[in-house]
Amino acid sequence: TMSVKAFKLVSAVEREMLMGDKNYINIECIECCGKNLYIGTNDCFIYHFLLDEKISPAGKITFAATKQLHKYLGLKKPVSELKAASALTRLLVLCDNTITLVNMMNLEPVPTGARIKGAVTFTLNENPVSGDPFCVEVCIISVKRRTIQLFMVFEDRVQIVKEVFTPEQPCAVAVDGYYLCLALTTQYIILNYNTGVSQDLFPYCSDEKRPIVKRIGRQEFLLAGPGGLGMFATVDGISQRAPVHWSENVIGAALCFPYVVALDDEFITVHSMLDQQQKQTLPFKEGHILQDFEGKVIVATNKGVYILVPLPLEKQIQDLLASHRVEEALVLAKGARRNIPKEKFQVMYKRILQQAGFIQFAQLQFLEAKELFRSGQLDVRELISLYPFLLPTSSSFIRSHPPLHEYADLNQLTQGDQEKMTKCKRFLMSYLNEVRSTEVANGYKEDIDTALLKLYAEANHESLLDLLVSENFCLLTDSAAWLEKHKKYFALGLLYHYNGQDAAALQLWVKIVDGDIQDSTRSDLYEYIVDFLTFCSDQDLVWKYSQWVLQKNEEVGVQIFTKRPLEEQEKNINPDDIISCLNKYPKARVKYLEHLVLERKIEKEKYHTHLAVLYLEAILQLKSVTTDNCTETTELLFKLRSLLQKSDLYRIHFILDKIQGTDLHMESAILYGKLEEHEKALHILVHELKDFHAAEEYCIWNSENRDVQYRQRLFHMLLSVYLSPGASDCALVTAAVDLLNNHAAEFDAALVLQLVPDSWSVQLLSPFLTGAVRQSIHTKRMTQAALGLAQAENLIYKHEKVKQKGTPILLSDKKVCQVCQNPFCEPVFVRYPNGGMVHSHCAADRHLNSNVNHHSSSSSNQT
């Protein structure tokens, strides 16, 4: 076992003070009460000393014993035992099997001569049951065989309370309340003398060695067990602590929390009750007494008395920490709780946890270190300060004094080992990341976040960007310099942005894209800048970088205008300014106009016309280069037609003039349609383009949201174009027949029959005729049904009227008007359906008011 310096042996009474040169005198027993030390000798004397504890400036403890007096008892027998009863100022003295009461100060027997006879040994009950403060309870092993006696001892009298018989001869006894812990000849037992219930503990042979029975606390005893074990037992006969390992021949034992001290022939041994380990061994020959008195442990040989002075627990803990015995130090610190005031203990214990954390940290035991730092509520800057340059220059932090560890910095701790240093940095990263959002960070979030940023940047860690785009407290000056040093320009831009310096951020990012500085963090940085400008509320910045963005890529760059949040667009930027800015960038300009017209649906003629003209010019430009319709031309034609069809805002004549003389027949047809010149439009579709399907579609989309007559008129026009004189083309005839057969419902059958040539057979037009007849019959039947319903409703009203007329209405000059409460003067009135009657002029006024106020009358007010 590793040693701890828990106690120091200090001499208290030298041999000379006691016996001078009388070699035959031996110390038999001792008692200590406060500063009073009593010694009983083999020649029937009692000595009284005053013990004075002295502490030198260096912290060394010494004891000075001053002899007060000595007293001969006159029995020529050794003084076997001494026990002080300070409440009674009495000393109980056992000599020649008799316990005598003497005065503590003058050692004179009490005048009454009160004594207890026939005692082999005795002990006091330190947990008395009587409750009388001026009385002590004494338990003796009697000279009678197998007998224990209990007495109450007062200032000048004694009184027997109980006699208890034991199964075997008792050798040693300790008392707690009603419980006796007894060493019998072959075993230890617990006996409740009030109830008589006994409980065997464990076997033990008293012939081979001296038993030890010692009360060490409330309802708990320490016993010398078999095999050199120091056993703990409670009054219930159970052991709540693991035993300690003594030597086979222990003479005495005492408790000085958290240690159990034992004495044998050659040594004093010290074991911890907290972990049962042997902590210290002190050589001590010829010792025969070891006792503790109110926390003071005294040992004696036949010739001298010594005191075991405990070293302060804090000193012991610091010694353990200094030798890196973290577990033992923490166990001892926890155990010290009961000896130290709560506030003082908490401060001390936190500091010990922090020190232990640094010891584990230095051994790269990071999980353990983290737990200790957390429990000890470490000011995390203590840890950060170990890492050179991590704390911001502006930090006011000063390390704890006295220091929590022995290291200047990480270089010293790792002795320059790069691998260890990397591990330490990785640990700090994860630790800071964990604590930054807890209350541990309160008050110095800047220091934590700045340190974390520096670690991430140095390690090229992916979390650097996450830190900068979320809420953080990184100090700008320190962080910016560090990011620049590590060439983290993109991250530096994010830092500037977080601190409201968007101009600086953009300047950096643009330099990266232009290749003036190197940073490969984002391969899509150009797109990122576009996105950034899109949501940037600083108009000046948007305009400043708009040219750069558009030069790089027109179609992507224009997004800074098209994808801006709508309220931003409506509020801040004038579309005309943007259009003039985009004049140098044709593709971007088209995209922006499409955004205005098709997405935002802005109803301004100039934008619609401008977009149509741009489409037209692009188509004509492409057609001049190639005669084939490439994909781009097809796409543009589709866009132009869609715009011409759906929009009503562009200047039709202006566009029509531009189209004249080109082969854009379909577009011309759409424009004529917009001018309501449908015959021209249909003529182009049928005769120029020969696209009969397009002609049918033309009739459909041009008559959308119009009445049936309008649609019929268009279809009749198309039929007329197909059947116009001189159009003997078979394709036209077929188209006309198909038109009739597929769209029978869109025609007035009577008019069609006048138009079609007589030479056409009924069979040719049978689908059309069938559909027309069916439609005619359907219309007739629907009309009949509607007429029938109307007639039925009319009948209901007539019936109601007859019913109303059939009920007589009585009017007298006693009836009053419901509106003005005046009687009727003439037989003219208005009656409501609920039977209420009012003057005709009151009803008229009321009706007028309700109309003015836009109130709909309730059913009870309807005439």
Side-chain angles (χ1 to χ4, degrees):
T1 52
M2 304 176 97
S3 65
V4 173
K5 196 164 183 191
F7 294 94
K8 204 173 166 194
L9 200 58
V10 180
S11 173
V13 180
E14 299 286 345
R15 170 200 172 104
E16 286 71 26
M17 292 181 71
L18 200 61
M19 54 199 71
D21 54 2
K22 296 173 186 163
N23 228 356
Y24 60 87
I25 298 176
N26 285 338
I27 297 170
E28 286 290 322
C29 58
I30 53 177
E31 169 68 317
C32 187
C33 180
K35 289 188 172 188
N36 300 293
L37 176 68
Y38 300 94
I39 299 174
T41 62
N42 60 342
D43 59 346
C44 208
F45 274 88
I46 302 171
Y47 292 83
H48 178 200
F49 293 92
L50 272 187
L51 273 184
D52 243 345
E53 188 178 320
K54 291 182 179 166
I55 303 175
S56 73
K60 190 179 176 189
I61 294 176
T62 53
F63 289 92
T66 318
K67 186 172 169 183
Q68 301 300 296
L69 74 156
H70 63 282
K71 177 85 178 165
Y72 179 58
L73 297 180
L75 294 167
K76 294 187 179 176
K77 293 280 176 79
V79 177
S80 308
E81 284 183 48
L82 295 169
K83 291 276 186 290
S86 57
L88 314 176
T89 63
R90 296 289 176 264
L91 189 66
L92 283 74
V93 183
L94 174 62
C95 183
D96 194 19
N97 292 355
T98 303
I99 299 169
T100 313
L101 271 65
V102 303
N103 185 298
M104 273 178 78
M105 292 303 121
N106 60 20
L107 303 182
E108 291 295 333
V110 292
T112 58
R115 62 189 59 216
I116 298 169
K117 292 183 175 177
V120 178
T121 179
F122 78 100
T123 185
L124 304 185
N125 188 350
E126 289 170 48
N127 181 18
V129 292
S130 75
D132 183 344
F134 299 106
C135 145
V136 292
E137 295 172 20
V138 177
C139 173
I140 72 163
I141 294 179
S142 174
V143 289
K144 288 192 214 171
R145 300 248 331 125
R146 303 201 311 229
T147 306
I148 299 285
Q149 289 174 331
L150 292 127
F151 292 86
M152 283 170 74
V153 175
F154 300 88
E155 262 187 326
D156 49 9
R157 64 190 175 91
V158 299
Q159 178 188 329
I160 187 157
V161 178
K162 187 100 174 172
E163 194 166 67
V164 181
F165 298 102
T166 58
E168 296 175 7
Q169 180 59 30
C171 327
V173 64
V175 195
D176 185 293
Y178 288 112
Y179 292 96
L180 305 175
C181 185
L182 294 162
L184 304 179
T185 319
T186 63
Q187 64 173 344
Y188 288 103
I189 67 164
I190 296 276
L191 176 64
N192 183 323
Y193 72 78
N194 191 38
T195 61
V197 175
S198 78
Q199 164 125 26
D200 295 352
L201 294 178
F202 46 83
Y204 184 78
C205 184
S206 63
D207 298 340
E208 290 176 18
K209 51 186 168 182
R210 190 199 304 185
I212 293 171
V213 180
K214 179 143 191 62
R215 179 184 181 272
I216 58 162
R218 188 172 172 76
Q219 301 193 338
E220 190 173 15
F221 304 98
L222 173 64
L223 316 168
L229 289 178
M231 309 278 280
F232 299 92
T234 68
V235 294
D236 300 318
I238 57 172
S239 187
Q240 291 176 323
R241 308 173 200 271
V244 292
H245 289 269
W246 288 333
S247 63
E248 286 285 349
N249 44 359
V250 171
I251 300 161
L255 184 93
C256 180
F257 190 85
Y259 299 113
V260 176
V261 185
L263 174 70
D264 62 24
D265 305 340
E266 294 187 36
F267 298 102
I268 296 167
T269 56
V270 179
H271 286 78
S272 169
M273 287 170 75
L274 305 169
D275 61 6
Q276 291 72 49
Q277 299 297 314
Q278 185 171 325
K279 301 295 181 183
Q280 190 178 9
T281 308
L282 296 150
F284 191 74
K285 289 198 187 321
E286 297 172 8
H288 78 114
I289 297 171
L290 167 67
Q291 277 177 276
D292 59 287
F293 306 96
E294 298 155 357
K296 196 176 277 167
V297 182
I298 300 183
V299 287
T301 61
N302 284 333
K303 307 298 181 191
V305 179
Y306 302 86
I307 296 180
L308 271 180
V309 180
L311 263 74
L313 282 174
E314 287 179 65
K315 172 84 170 73
Q316 295 180 42
I317 292 163
Q318 291 305 326
D319 289 348
L320 284 168
L321 288 171
S323 48
H324 294 181
R325 287 152 66 188
V326 172
E327 281 306 313
E328 288 177 76
L330 291 174
V331 168
L332 185 54
K334 267 187 214 151
R337 178 174 298 176
R338 60 187 256 182
N339 293 27
I340 298 172
K342 190 178 176 186
E343 283 75 19
K344 187 182 175 194
F345 172 77
Q346 284 178 334
V347 172
M348 180 194 89
Y349 190 55
K350 272 184 197 170
R351 184 179 161 79
I352 291 163
L353 288 169
Q354 293 171 10
Q355 286 176 282
F358 277 107
I359 290 165
Q360 297 285 34
F361 174 74
Q363 293 168 354
L364 308 190
Q365 302 292 320
F366 297 128
L367 273 175
E368 294 83 349
K370 180 169 82 173
E371 194 45 45
L372 289 163
F373 289 152
R374 196 187 57 73
S375 317
Q377 295 171 2
L378 176 76
D379 177 342
V380 73
R381 296 174 299 175
E382 285 283 357
L383 183 58
I384 298 171
S385 72
L386 266 176
Y387 296 69
F389 311 116
L390 283 198
L391 274 177
T393 43
S394 60
S395 176
S396 57
F397 174 71
I398 297 164
R399 278 189 190 176
S400 163
H401 190 79
L404 294 171
H405 54 79
E406 62 209 41
Y407 305 105
D409 62 17
L410 203 59
N411 295 317
Q412 186 198 336
L413 186 145
T414 58
Q415 294 175 332
D417 181 328
Q418 285 306 310
E419 193 183 339
K420 280 186 183 175
M421 213 175 274
T422 307
K423 283 180 182 171
C424 289
K425 286 178 177 175
R426 227 177 286 145
F427 163 68
L428 185 61
M429 269 185 233
S430 78
Y431 184 60
L432 292 181
N433 191 38
E434 271 178 48
V435 302
R436 65 187 292 262
S437 53
T438 66
E439 59 237 37
V440 175
N442 289 351
Y444 29 86
K445 291 184 171 182
E446 291 88 351
D447 294 358
I448 292 176
D449 282 2
T450 307
L452 194 54
L453 173 134
K454 289 178 177 180
L455 286 166
Y456 282 159
E458 188 181 47
N460 199 19
H461 199 282
E462 59 200 12
S463 299
L464 173 63
L465 304 183
D466 296 334
L467 174 69
L468 287 167
V469 296
S470 56
E471 188 191 13
N472 69 77
F473 295 88
C474 301
L475 289 172
L476 180 60
T477 328
D478 253 65
S479 306
W482 191 271
L483 291 171
E484 202 161 333
K485 175 186 165 189
H486 289 279
K487 298 190 167 35
K488 296 284 169 201
Y489 299 113
F490 175 69
L492 178 53
L494 290 177
L495 176 73
Y496 283 139
H497 167 56
Y498 188 81
N499 284 276
Q501 300 186 14
D502 288 357
L506 281 162
Q507 194 176 354
L508 263 177
W509 294 336
V510 165
K511 279 185 180 177
I512 298 171
V513 175
D514 286 343
D516 300 340
I517 49 178
Q518 300 303 310
D519 181 349
S520 58
T521 308
R522 282 195 81 125
S523 53
D524 62 343
L525 183 54
Y526 168 74
E527 287 79 3
Y528 182 87
I529 294 171
V530 169
D531 202 46
F532 184 85
L533 285 167
T534 303
F535 293 95
C536 175
S537 54
D538 183 341
Q539 300 305 320
D540 298 338
L541 271 183
V542 177
W543 286 115
K544 181 178 176 182
Y545 288 100
S546 59
Q547 298 295 326
W548 178 84
V549 164
L550 290 160
Q551 278 163 12
K552 289 276 171 204
N553 183 331
E554 280 186 52
E555 288 167 88
V556 176
V558 75
Q559 289 174 12
I560 64 172
F561 301 121
T562 60
K563 290 199 174 170
R564 290 188 83 63
L566 203 56
E567 65 277 7
E568 184 94 9
Q569 292 190 45
E570 288 168 354
K571 209 168 51 187
N572 296 332
I573 300 191
N574 182 351
D576 296 343
D577 295 340
I578 296 173
I579 292 166
S580 51
C581 159
L582 296 176
N583 277 335
K584 287 190 283 184
Y585 309 101
K587 287 180 184 169
R589 188 173 49 184
V590 168
K591 287 255 182 209
Y592 184 64
L593 282 164
E594 284 177 345
H595 166 70
L596 292 179
V597 171
L598 308 176
E599 288 171 27
R600 283 183 57 193
K601 304 201 174 346
I602 291 181
E603 297 187 350
K604 280 198 179 175
E605 171 272 316
K606 61 179 173 182
Y607 300 145
H608 287 246
T609 306
H610 196 166
L611 181 58
V613 168
L614 290 177
Y615 282 155
L616 192 54
E617 286 174 352
I619 292 164
L620 295 174
Q621 166 65 28
L622 283 168
K623 283 184 174 289
S624 69
V625 177
T626 171
T627 49
D628 298 330
N629 274 3
C630 60
T631 319
E632 198 179 343
T633 315
T634 311
E635 197 179 312
L636 279 168
L637 281 167
F638 175 76
K639 284 182 176 181
L640 177 60
R641 284 170 193 170
S642 176
L643 176 67
L644 295 177
Q645 276 179 359
K646 290 175 184 169
S647 170
D648 293 322
L649 294 165
Y650 55 86
R651 283 154 55 199
I652 304 168
H653 289 289
F654 180 71
I655 305 292
L656 200 53
D657 289 348
K658 285 199 168 283
I659 285 181
Q660 294 298 347
T662 68
D663 61 352
L664 300 177
H665 302 300
M666 176 64 85
E667 290 68 23
S668 301
I670 295 168
L671 289 167
Y672 281 125
K674 288 282 176 184
L675 292 170
E676 295 284 328
E677 297 183 20
H678 299 302
E679 278 148 341
K680 278 189 185 175
L682 290 169
H683 188 274
I684 291 170
L685 292 170
V686 173
H687 296 297
E688 305 275 341
L689 283 175
K690 302 204 184 310
D691 188 339
F692 308 133
H693 176 70
E696 285 179 27
E697 285 294 312
Y698 174 91
C699 293
I700 292 167
W701 70 255
N702 256 303
S703 59
E704 265 174 13
N705 306 322
R706 296 293 191 97
D707 56 22
V708 179
Q709 284 79 10
Y710 191 87
R711 177 173 281 220
Q712 276 192 357
R713 191 160 68 82
L714 284 181
F715 272 95
H716 277 283
M717 260 184 218
L718 178 56
L719 183 62
S720 301
V721 172
Y722 285 155
L723 300 177
S724 58
S728 56
D729 191 338
C730 281
L732 291 177
V733 173
T734 310
V737 172
D738 290 344
L739 180 68
L740 287 168
N741 289 339
N742 295 335
H743 297 279
E746 315 295 357
F747 288 94
D748 179 336
L751 285 173
V752 170
L753 292 174
Q754 289 171 19
L755 266 174
V756 295
D758 298 340
S759 56
W760 286 13
S761 68
V762 170
Q763 193 182 353
L764 187 65
L765 286 176
S766 68
F768 166 72
L769 293 170
T770 309
V773 169
R774 189 178 293 134
Q775 181 64 36
S776 175
I777 292 167
H778 173 70
T779 306
K780 181 185 173 186
R781 284 175 181 165
M782 288 300 284
T783 309
Q784 283 171 337
L787 178 65
L789 287 168
Q791 285 170 339
E793 192 178 8
N794 182 253
L795 195 60
I796 290 165
Y797 285 134
K798 279 180 177 172
H799 175 246
E800 280 294 317
K801 191 176 176 185
V802 168
K803 254 169 65 181
Q804 294 294 344
K805 281 181 175 177
T807 313
I809 296 162
L810 301 171
L811 182 71
S812 71
D813 54 3
K814 288 187 179 144
K815 282 234 175 185
V816 292
C817 166
Q818 279 193 345
V819 175
C820 71
Q821 303 299 317
N822 289 322
F824 291 92
C825 302
E826 51 184 347
V828 178
F829 60 88
V830 172
R831 182 180 181 276
Y832 288 114
N834 64 359
M837 291 190 287
V838 298
H839 291 122
S840 52
H841 58 267
C842 288
D845 290 349
R846 191 173 185 186
H847 187 63
L848 183 68
N849 288 343
S850 69
N851 279 350
V852 169
N853 294 333
H854 298 289
H855 285 316
S856 58
S857 302
S858 66
S859 63
S860 65
N861 291 338
Q862 285 171 354
T863 52

